[in-house]
Amino acid sequence: MEKLTEELVGLAERKLGRRRAKKLRRDISFFRNFAGTREYPKYFWVCRYDIYKQALQRTAEDLAAKGELREPGDLYYLDLEELQSLLRTGKADWPKIERRRVEYRRFARLTPPRLVFSDGEGPEPDRRDGLPAGALTGLGVSAGIVEGRARVVRSLGEAIMEKGDILVTAFTDPSWTPVFVSISGLVTEVGGMMTHGAVITREYGLPAVVGVADATRLIHDGDRIRLDGEMGFVQILLN
């Protein structure tokens, strides 16, 4: 990084002058030292939300112990005003709680679209020429080609990886970062050029394709697959 900085500053001095080059050096130093602080707001929000969640959980357990809720989880089918009413009156709207519980189970079985435009419509399926027969298309976000065993993981708790495995999942977030040490490539159902998995795979030099519709359903755990992070497709070689 220091060598690259000197090259950039030297180029700036030759083309833009000493004054602009000095400003560039100062800006590079500033961003190298303080870019990480952009994560602080998100960190403190999550910490605060955890405090809220702990307080709500304690409240739910107290209400269940008093018989005002049948179980602590009932609290999460109430909005804030309804919870405040329950705390004042000790009476829950059981038909509403049961209706929302049924709705939640129904919604949980649905598969949301990868992308919805502002007019409510989704994009047409991606059709590209020159790809292998049966290839699953997506967006190539980190270049490279790799073959390996697919590990289809639906939650971080299931992510037991071996060296060289290709991770296939719905999406990743910062809590998944330690998994990237072992894998040789990444396939996700959702994502774009600046989502977590895309950024981390580029940093680690791993091929990655995101936005592969139904990847966790069409690719089975243990399949041998080929991943092309430049062309943006996944090919199932052996089931």
Side-chain angles (χ1 to χ4, degrees), residues 5 8 32 38 72 74 97 106 110 128 133 135 137 146 185 193 195:
T5 298
L8 291 172
R32 286 192 67 195
R38 70 193 179 117
D74 290 336
I97 290 175
R106 178 166 59 86
L110 300 178
R128 278 178 268 166
T137 58
V146 66
M193 290 297 295
T195 48

Side-chain angles (χ1 to χ4, degrees), residues 39-74:
E39 296 297 326
Y40 281 5
K42 184 188 299 182
Y43 170 74
F44 289 120
W45 289 338
V46 171
C47 288
R48 181 65 63 88
Y49 289 149
D50 183 57
I51 293 172
Y52 295 158
K53 186 172 182 179
Q54 290 181 42
L56 286 169
Q57 187 63 31
R58 288 195 298 270
T59 300
E61 291 169 356
D62 291 343
L63 291 171
K66 292 189 292 186
E68 295 175 6
L69 289 177
R70 293 169 184 164
E71 58 182 65
D74 290 336

